[in-house]
Amino acid sequence: MTPPVHQSIEAMKQARQAMTGRVAFVPTMGALHEGHLSLVRKAKELADTVVMSIYVNPSQFAPHEDLDKYPRDLQGDIDKAVSAGVDEFFAPNNDMMYPEGFGCWVEPDWPMMRLLEGASRPRFFRGVATIVLKLFNIVQPNVAIFGLKDYQQFLVIERMTRELHLDIEIIGAPLIREADGLAMSSRNAYLTSEQRKHALLLNQILKETETALRQHPEQHPQRLCETMRERISQIPEGELDYFELVDPKELTPLETTQPTMLAVLAARVGQTRLIDNQLIELNH
Ligand code: AMP
C-alpha cells in the first residue's frame, strides 16, 4: 500500500485533523539511512501515528554549501521509511515554505549560538529553528524525535520548544554508526572509498579521547583537545573545523574535567564536512 504523501500544507493539516491518538514527528532532509530509520522506530514506540517530513531546507545552507548537490531520492526514501513504520509523509516545496517576501525568522540567540556549529555556520540555526517551528505548526505533533548526531541542534530545538511554550515533547535518539564506527550521515555518500577510510579516524579520535580521560581524569581538557586537534589535522585530506570537550548542557569548553562531558568535532575530509560526538561519563 502506498502511504499518503502530502505535498501541500493544506493537505497535511487536513490529514492531521483526521488522525487520532498520539502523533510522532520525524523531520528529515531525505537521503535516508539507518540513523533516520532508528528515529522512526523510536517514534513508533511513542505514538499511534508517525509522520515524517522530507524537505531539503534551503535556509540552513550557506551559499558555499552543498544545497544543490544534496542527495534527493523521494521514492527511495518513502520505501525505506514505510518499512521502518512511517504512516504519512509531508514533502513540501520551497515556494510553499518560503513564499515571496517571507521574513519571519526564528533567531536563537543563546550564548551557545556562538559556539561549535553556531560559530562555524552562522545562519544555520536560524534556518533550522525557523523550519522546525513551521513544520511543528503544520504537523502539530505530540512528540518529535531528533538524533543526537546533531547534538547542538537537539539542544536548540529542545530550548526553542520550551521557550516558545510549544506543547511538544522533544526526544533525543542515539547517534547511529556504521559497523566500523563512522557516524551515519547522508553526506557520507560524497566520500570516495579512500576518503571514507580517512574519515574513520574521526570516530577513533573520539574513542581515544574517552580512553585518555578515563585513564587520567585529572588532566587538563584543553591540553587533550590540542593533541586531538593535531591528530585531526594530520588526517590525509583532513581539515579541522573544531574539536572541543564541552559541558553537555551549555556547550562551553571545559577548563577542568567533570563527570559528564561531550567530545564534539567537525572536520572536512576532502570537500565533505563531517560532524561527530561522544558523550563521556567518567563514573560509568
Ligand atoms: P537530516 O536529514 O540530516 O537533517 O537529519 C534528520 C534527523 O536525523 C535529525 O534529527 C538528525 O539528527 C537525525 N540523524 C541523522 N543522522 C543520524 C545518525 N547517524 N544517528 C542518529 N540520528 C541521525
Side-chain angles (χ1 to χ4, degrees):
M1 204 187 82
T2 46
V5 181
H6 308 295
Q7 295 190 310
S8 79
I9 293 166
E10 268 323 300
M12 182 66 238
K13 284 188 172 176
Q14 271 182 20
R16 173 63 179 98
Q17 300 244 310
M19 290 173 195
T20 52
R22 271 171 79 75
V23 174
F25 180 42
V26 180
T28 78
M29 298 206 299
L32 301 184
H33 50 65
E34 271 302 314
H36 299 108
L37 302 183
S38 73
L39 308 187
V40 173
R41 291 186 195 107
K42 184 77 201 164
K44 202 80 191 158
E45 285 170 21
L46 298 171
D48 304 286
T49 304
V50 178
V51 178
M52 172 182 277
S53 62
I54 298 182
Y55 177 59
V56 182
N57 172 37
S59 73
Q60 69 191 67
F61 288 76
H64 64 275
E65 291 179 347
D66 55 343
L67 174 63
D68 292 338
K69 70 166 186 171
Y70 199 83
R72 290 166 170 88
D73 173 18
L74 184 60
Q75 194 52 53
D77 287 340
I78 289 171
D79 294 344
K80 285 182 201 163
V82 165
S83 55
V86 171
D87 299 294
E88 303 203 17
F89 293 87
F90 180 45
N93 67 30
N94 291 340
D95 292 340
M96 289 166 208
M97 298 312 282
Y98 297 101
E100 182 89 6
F102 178 86
C104 187
W105 298 97
V106 180
E107 188 97 51
D109 194 31
W110 312 287
M112 76 154 91
M113 294 296 87
R114 288 167 279 288
L115 300 169
L116 308 178
E117 292 298 289
S120 292
R121 306 176 74 191
R123 291 276 175 120
F124 176 67
F125 285 120
R126 176 177 104 140
V128 167
T130 302
I131 195 65
V132 170
L133 181 62
K134 285 160 73 69
L135 292 169
F136 279 178
N137 285 334
I138 295 164
V139 175
Q140 295 176 45
N142 302 102
V143 54
I145 330 296
F146 292 84
L148 295 174
K149 154 98 185 330
D150 300 275
Y151 190 94
Q152 190 173 17
Q153 171 172 284
F154 168 74
L155 291 186
V156 168
I157 303 300
E158 201 185 34
R159 282 199 186 186
M160 174 184 82
T161 303
R162 194 164 59 236
E163 293 191 4
L164 298 184
H165 316 291
L166 308 180
D167 289 324
I168 301 171
E169 191 185 346
I170 305 298
I171 304 286
L175 192 167
I176 304 297
R177 301 180 178 284
E178 303 284 358
D180 58 10
L182 182 67
M184 287 193 185
S185 163
S186 305
R187 292 187 166 102
N188 291 349
Y190 301 150
L191 298 169
T192 64
S193 58
E194 243 347 70
Q195 289 170 341
R196 197 189 172 290
K197 270 185 225 147
H198 303 324
L200 274 181
L201 291 166
L202 296 174
N203 181 233
Q204 281 172 22
I205 287 167
L206 288 174
K207 286 202 213 136
E208 280 172 34
T209 304
E210 176 162 20
T211 306
L213 284 165
R214 286 190 190 286
Q215 282 171 349
H216 301 286
E218 74 295 345
Q219 69 186 298
H220 198 297
Q222 287 308 320
R223 216 156 287 146
L224 185 57
C225 285
E226 275 309 319
T227 308
M228 296 308 169
R229 286 177 194 135
E230 189 56 35
R231 298 260 283 105
I232 294 174
S233 307
Q234 285 164 2
I235 294 176
E237 292 189 73
E239 186 190 331
L240 172 74
D241 183 345
Y242 59 77
F243 178 97
E244 299 285 353
L245 274 168
V246 300
D247 175 79
K249 292 219 155 45
E250 298 304 325
L251 303 184
T252 40
L254 295 176
E255 292 301 325
T256 56
T257 54
Q258 58 185 45
T260 306
M261 299 174 272
L262 184 78
V264 57
L265 65 80
R268 236 170 260 283
V269 176
Q271 296 299 306
T272 307
R273 187 171 184 279
L274 300 171
I275 59 173
D276 200 348
N277 69 76
Q278 176 74 47
L279 199 65
I280 300 171
E281 293 179 286
L282 287 185
N283 298 333
H284 283 66

